[in-house]
Amino acid sequence: MNRQKSYIALSIVVLLLLPLFIKNQFLLHMFILIFLGVIYGQSWNLLGGFTGQISFGHALFFGIGAYGTAKFLTSDSLSKIGVIFNHQADPILAIIFGGLMTILVTFLMGTIIFRLSGPYFGLGTLAMAEIGLVIAMNLKSVTNGGEGILLLDTPSIGPFELMGKTSFYYLILVLMLLTVFFVYQIMRRKMGYFLLAIREDNQAAEAMGVPTKRYKILALMASAFLSALAGGFYTLYVGFISPHDVFSVHTSVEMIFITIVGGVGTLMGPVVGAVVLTVLSEVFKSYFDNAYLIVYGLLLILVILYMPEGIYGYLKKKWNARKKVMADADVAS
Amino acid sequence: MPMLQVKDLTKQFGGLTAVSKVSFSVNEGEVLGLIGPNGAGKTTCFNMIAGAMNPTKGQIEFEGQRIDGLQAHQISQKGIARTFQIVKPLRNLSVFDNVMIAALSKSKDISQAREIAQEVIDFTGIHDLAKKGAGELSIGNLKRLEVARALATLPRLLLLDEPMGGLNGKEVDQAIELILKINKSGKTVVIIEHIMKALMQVSDRIVVLAQGEKIAEGTPEAISKNEAVITAYLGEEYHAQS
């Protein structure tokens, strides 16, 4: 275990030092996309992978987080809240504000959506995300409709202006590390075990004394909050959001792919998935031009067919089998 | 006062009455057998007592408190645990974790739950399987895991739904031994079982259901001679011939 800890510490140090050596802006951009992918992969995995509630509508939470952040920074009345930190932490407060808005929405939708289960739950979440899109398009007084919201000022945290890739790299790196740590902490506690029990068999979990409905709503809230963080960061990074950018089905699907390709129901799965898919989609884009989606799609089909437990799950299985063979050999000799 | 009292319990599924005005009581410390032909409404009774279904009509009192209409996890908190006829293991988790999660809802933290789980695993004799995945077990061991998981919620009343279904002779003997051991440790047991020989051995009293209604109640000896019971099981014709 200690060896594992030192590996983790080492990789964090490497990631912290990386921008000192990488001056290539595109490469930094890639890292930012990967870290963003890790956050929303973890978000989806918490509800879909660990709790077994397969959502097709996580873009809803991403979108609310993105809009909450944008509104906080652009609306006169909301941005006054920033005074409490003398406007030194506005982007952070904005992201948190987006997260809280999302939690509020999940609290309201949680009691309704968990009346559904299995495929119907998936369809329900898909519908919820579409409702989010329609509202964002039409509630012009709040969302500015299809024109979207543009951030005019460069946000800054204390003395650091969020300008250039390096500053965004550090912001998303911190958010990602916090996300992974957060999910790790949930999964090693009582709540984590309850979520696994719900995934494995809802009725058995109830009979074992698990208040399944309450824990499903809690998992939804935590998961949605993480997606909102990712959405909030997206707003800051891109500086412009519109309904079709953030509430799109594409975002929901991307979260699922990252988790499934990496490994469903594992902490490392979304990390592996985000790295592999982000890198591959860029490589394919440069080789196949517009046809890259076809190649990308084929790859996904292959992974799902031949490694249903995902890349990380597959490697872990191989590794465990090898360890077992070696242990047996030890016993024999 | 009986520990569990069921009064006029009725469950209708649309036009079908699965359980009709069934009343019985369970005294603290006893083993009550619940028998009846297929479709008699035994499991439906369990589902209502354990909170998996709400009764259409009737009352259920446990230790003097109304519990009908509560959710399954609330019933578990009150001190009633149940096993499932069709086993419901948490397949991708280890046997130990299955039992540990059941203990978690009554523990303040994970280490306490681990202690309870270890005790229950030793008590039920599944020690050797603790590290195995629950999905790899044989049906005999799965039935044993069901019982272990129910015990880990620290119940005072245990509802066992066909704990011997699908077991071989030797496993049935072990199951009988376990049930008697659980009863001796101070827990009250209600058991549904089709293996009559086993049921007669463990039960203090037996309640017989047929087509949703209670048709008899009494000691195992009395039940085995009861005409209504024999008719329900073997049919009028057979009864006439004998």
Side-chain angles (χ1 to χ4, degrees):
Chain A
M1 276 304 117
N2 266 332
R3 207 163 112 189
Q4 208 174 354
K5 265 185 193 156
S6 47
Y7 279 138
I8 292 168
L10 184 70
S11 26
I12 292 175
V13 170
V14 169
L15 289 176
L16 280 171
L17 295 177
L18 215 57
L20 300 179
F21 305 104
I22 298 181
K23 293 297 166 208
N24 182 335
Q25 295 296 297
F26 177 71
L27 214 55
L28 275 182
H29 173 67
M30 287 289 295
F31 272 101
I32 291 169
L33 289 187
I34 289 172
F35 296 164
L36 189 66
V38 172
I39 296 179
Y40 56 56
Q42 292 288 355
S43 155
W44 190 87
N45 192 32
L46 182 58
L47 190 69
F50 289 124
T51 321
Q53 310 298 310
I54 309 293
S55 149
F56 289 106
H58 258 52
L60 177 66
F61 313 126
F62 184 86
I64 296 171
Y67 268 93
T69 303
K71 281 308 278 184
F72 188 93
L73 293 172
T74 54
S75 125
D76 290 334
S77 44
L78 278 177
S79 56
K80 283 201 188 97
I81 299 172
V83 171
I84 50 173
F85 289 112
N86 213 6
H87 288 290
Q88 297 299 298
D90 277 0
I92 303 294
L93 285 178
I95 292 181
I96 292 172
F97 177 76
L100 294 179
M101 292 301 292
T102 314
I103 286 184
L104 191 70
V105 171
T106 52
F107 186 72
L108 297 175
M109 83 181 242
T111 46
I112 308 170
I113 199 80
F114 286 121
R115 284 170 187 273
L116 307 174
S117 61
Y120 302 100
F121 175 81
L123 289 176
T125 52
L126 185 65
M128 291 270 183
E130 284 304 300
I131 292 170
L133 174 64
V134 172
I135 291 177
M137 286 296 288
N138 292 292
L139 197 64
K140 291 200 170 113
S141 57
V142 179
T143 64
N144 206 24
E147 288 168 40
I149 301 176
L150 180 69
L151 296 188
L152 292 171
D153 306 322
T154 307
S156 53
I157 303 170
F160 303 106
E161 278 200 328
L162 283 177
M163 261 218 338
K165 303 275 186 249
T166 311
S167 56
F168 281 110
Y169 175 93
Y170 281 114
L171 178 60
I172 192 78
L173 176 63
V174 170
L175 286 177
M176 180 201 70
L177 292 175
L178 287 176
T179 298
V180 177
F181 185 68
F182 177 68
V183 175
Y184 170 71
Q185 286 297 333
I186 287 182
M187 291 320 295
R188 64 193 287 263
R189 280 155 206 276
K190 196 177 201 170
M191 177 167 169
Y193 284 103
F194 282 179
L195 299 187
L196 292 176
I198 291 169
R199 176 187 75 190
E200 294 295 311
D201 194 313
N202 199 68
Q203 211 188 345
E206 271 282 328
M208 288 153 83
V210 180
T212 55
K213 200 157 185 186
R214 188 188 315 158
Y215 275 91
K216 277 194 263 188
I217 293 177
L218 280 174
L220 177 69
M221 282 181 175
S223 167
F225 183 77
L226 296 178
S227 272
L229 290 187
F233 176 84
Y234 178 89
T235 301
L236 295 174
Y237 185 51
V238 180
F240 168 75
I241 54 168
S242 75
H244 283 286
D245 289 340
V246 294
F247 284 106
S248 78
V249 181
H250 180 79
T251 313
S252 302
V253 170
E254 191 71 24
M255 295 184 196
I256 302 175
F257 280 167
I258 283 179
T259 314
I260 287 182
V261 168
V264 180
T266 59
L267 191 66
M268 282 307 288
V271 179
V272 175
V275 173
V276 172
L277 286 187
T278 312
V279 171
L280 282 184
S281 75
E282 288 306 318
V283 170
F284 288 160
K285 257 182 219 171
S286 60
Y287 276 103
F288 302 103
D289 223 12
N290 279 331
Y292 88 96
L293 277 175
I294 298 173
V295 184
Y296 188 76
L298 273 176
L299 180 96
L300 285 173
I301 293 170
L302 288 178
V303 168
I304 291 166
L305 275 180
Y306 294 104
M307 296 185 208
E309 63 282 80
I311 296 173
Y312 177 72
Y314 178 81
L315 292 177
K316 204 169 116 184
K317 206 172 73 182
K318 287 270 149 177
W319 176 249
N320 284 342
R322 214 185 105 192
K323 242 177 26 190
K324 192 157 177 283
V325 169
M326 278 159 67
D328 290 349
D330 271 356
V331 173
S333 65
Chain B
M1 194 185 62
M3 187 183 213
L4 181 81
Q5 199 153 23
V6 174
K7 279 186 218 152
D8 290 331
L9 198 63
T10 301
K11 179 74 193 179
Q12 290 171 324
F13 296 107
L16 177 84
T17 306
V19 175
S20 171
K21 291 190 180 164
V22 168
S23 301
F24 62 89
S25 57
V26 185
N27 299 314
E28 187 156 5
E30 75 174 340
V31 177
L32 179 79
L34 195 56
I35 63 169
N38 287 329
K42 307 176 296 285
T43 298
T44 308
C45 273
F46 264 24
N47 281 338
M48 286 188 278
I49 297 169
M53 284 175 190
N54 286 333
T56 313
K57 277 192 205 115
Q59 293 186 8
I60 305 166
E61 267 180 34
F62 178 64
E63 296 178 336
Q65 275 181 306
R66 285 281 292 272
I67 58 162
D68 46 278
L70 293 183
Q71 288 172 290
H73 66 88
Q74 292 169 316
I75 304 265
S76 164
Q77 287 296 333
K78 298 264 181 210
I80 301 179
R82 61 97 52 102
T83 68
F84 292 95
Q85 180 186 359
I86 299 159
V87 290
K88 293 184 180 297
L90 313 178
R91 291 190 183 277
N92 292 311
L93 304 183
S94 69
V95 168
F96 186 88
D97 282 351
N98 266 263
V99 182
M100 198 268 283
I101 293 173
L104 258 180
S105 61
K106 293 269 177 72
S107 326
K108 58 181 196 307
D109 56 26
I110 290 191
S111 69
Q112 195 190 0
R114 278 183 196 283
E115 279 170 33
I116 296 173
Q118 197 55 56
E119 278 170 32
V120 170
I121 282 173
D122 292 340
F123 183 86
T124 48
I126 50 174
H127 193 92
D128 294 343
L129 307 170
K131 281 184 182 163
K132 271 201 172 179
E136 303 167 31
L137 301 187
S138 66
I139 184 67
N141 287 327
L142 282 172
K143 292 272 178 184
R144 211 162 255 258
L145 173 59
E146 282 280 326
V147 177
R149 226 167 46 179
L151 284 176
T153 66
L154 307 177
R156 292 185 293 286
L157 173 65
L158 191 59
L159 309 175
L160 301 174
D161 197 347
E162 286 201 37
M164 304 169 197
L167 303 195
N168 63 33
K170 193 181 149 214
E171 287 170 331
V172 168
D173 289 342
Q174 289 172 340
I176 292 172
E177 208 176 293
L178 179 61
I179 291 163
L180 291 173
K181 194 168 141 194
I182 290 167
N183 185 232
K184 213 178 250 173
S185 75
K187 296 190 193 307
T188 309
V189 178
V190 181
I191 174 172
I192 296 176
E193 191 47 71
H194 278 301
I195 303 177
M196 286 302 154
K197 189 189 113 217
L199 195 83
M200 296 289 171
Q201 272 186 53
V202 297
S203 307
D204 298 311
R205 280 190 312 131
I206 292 178
V207 167
V208 189
L209 301 182
Q211 296 183 329
E213 290 176 38
K214 186 169 95 172
I215 57 166
E217 179 176 352
T219 60
E221 297 81 50
I223 290 297
S224 63
K225 296 186 189 102
N226 185 304
E227 300 223 342
V229 176
I230 296 169
T231 309
Y233 267 90
L234 302 173
E236 294 278 359
E237 218 171 300
Y238 179 88
H239 194 218
Q241 279 173 11
S242 62

